């Protein structure tokens, strides 16, 4: 089984990026992270990637007149690394349809909510405001709809009465670091694919909440 080439896009600390790089370098992912790209030169994750021996690049969105212009340049930059898989790991940009279509079936995102709940931002505060008893994280294929692509895998965490948004974020992040490298491996190893009917794992169509362990 050939190793796939992975490009990761970040905007901040890169904690999920780190777990994917570590899993790849430990042989737990059937792929190699060949580049980490950020839209912010200040992203702390860039230094972490460099320390792990990964090539990095910065493409600042403020240097472009429009979202379309930025995404066209970003697509060229990403493609220069010849990726098989593109992973969004805290990349805080809404992508154009031209970009998402180019990587259709090859691009993953992680979102801190139990999709389809709480698409967009501020998910932890929204879960608290709604009085939810559980919260969580979803890994999904990226499509043109914001946070709307087929869910592959979710992890749930309890919500306690005394929780703050920071408490929830910390609890959710632990789960993020467990499930994201796993899904990246599924895609790199050929077990996971996006079809017209939705996400399939080992030839079985996944449900609306993704893979359900027995």
């Amino acid at each position: 089984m050939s190793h796939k080439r992975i490009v990761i896009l970040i905007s901040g600390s890169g904690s999920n990026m780190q777990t994917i790089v570590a899993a790849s370098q430990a042989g737990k992912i059937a792929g190699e992270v060949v580049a980490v790209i950020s839209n912010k030169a200040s992203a702390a994750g860039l230094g972490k990637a460099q320390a792990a021996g990964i090539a990095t690049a910065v493409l600042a969105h403020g240097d472009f007149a429009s979202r379309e212009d930025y995404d066209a340049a970003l697509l060229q930059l990403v493609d220069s690394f010849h990726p098989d898989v593109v992973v969004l790991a805290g990349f805080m940009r809404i992508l154009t349809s031209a970009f998402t279509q180019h990587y259709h079936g090859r691009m993953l995102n992680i979102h801190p909510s139990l999709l389809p709940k709480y698409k967009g931002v501020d998910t932890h505060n929204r879960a608290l405001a709604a009085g939810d008893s559980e919260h969580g994280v979803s890994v999904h294929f990226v499509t043109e709809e914001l946070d709307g692509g087929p869910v592959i895998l979710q992890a749930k965490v309890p919500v306690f009465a005394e929780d703050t948004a920071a408490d929830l974020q910390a609890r959710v992040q632990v789960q993020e670091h467990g499930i994201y490298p796993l899904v990246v491996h599924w895609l790199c190893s050929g077990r996971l694919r996006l079809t017209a009917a939705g996400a399939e794992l080992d030839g079985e169509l996944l449900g609306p909440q993704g893979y359900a362990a027995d």
Side-chain angles (χ1 to χ4, degrees):
M1 180 173 56
S2 62
H3 264 40
K4 301 297 185 182
R5 296 174 61 85
I6 304 166
V7 170
I8 302 179
L9 306 185
I10 65 170
S11 293
S13 67
S15 68
N16 277 304
M17 174 272 296
Q18 275 188 292
T19 63
I20 293 166
V21 167
S24 171
Q25 293 182 341
K28 296 179 180 178
I29 292 176
E32 176 189 2
V33 179
V34 296
V36 172
I37 299 170
S38 179
N39 62 317
K40 295 182 178 181
S42 60
L46 291 170
K48 298 172 185 176
Q50 291 162 3
I54 309 297
T56 62
V58 175
L59 190 68
H61 58 268
D63 294 342
F64 293 83
S66 70
R67 189 179 302 277
E68 289 74 19
D69 288 347
Y70 178 78
D71 278 14
L74 181 62
L75 191 153
Q76 282 193 318
L77 176 59
V78 172
D79 270 2
S80 72
F81 293 99
H82 308 290
D84 300 294
V85 173
V86 178
V87 175
L88 307 183
F91 188 62
M92 303 304 291
R93 296 280 301 168
I94 297 175
L95 297 166
T96 58
S97 59
F99 192 93
T100 59
Q101 288 171 7
H102 184 73
Y103 299 108
H104 182 79
R106 298 189 288 148
M107 185 158 54
L108 301 171
N109 184 46
I110 192 162
H111 183 73
S113 79
L114 296 173
L115 292 171
K117 276 189 169 184
Y118 312 131
K119 298 177 182 179
V121 299
D122 201 26
T123 61
H124 308 308
N125 276 315
R126 290 159 70 189
L128 290 173
D132 291 349
S133 62
E134 63 180 14
H135 187 45
V137 57
S138 307
V139 179
H140 64 95
F141 277 112
V142 177
T143 62
E144 293 178 55
E145 182 186 353
L146 176 65
D147 299 328
V151 172
I152 301 157
L153 186 61
Q154 292 184 328
K156 297 178 180 179
V157 300
V159 180
F160 302 116
E162 67 276 12
D163 275 341
T164 65
D167 294 329
L168 274 189
Q169 181 178 12
R171 200 174 298 134
V172 166
Q173 193 171 68
V174 171
Q175 299 301 319
E176 291 177 5
H177 295 169
I179 69 173
Y180 212 3
L182 177 61
V183 174
V184 173
H185 174 62
W186 287 348
L187 186 57
C188 287
S189 64
R191 294 180 58 191
L192 175 68
R193 67 191 190 105
L194 180 59
T195 71
E200 281 188 1
L201 181 65
D202 297 331
E204 296 290 329
L205 186 65
L206 301 179
Q209 277 72 52
Y211 176 75
D214 293 332

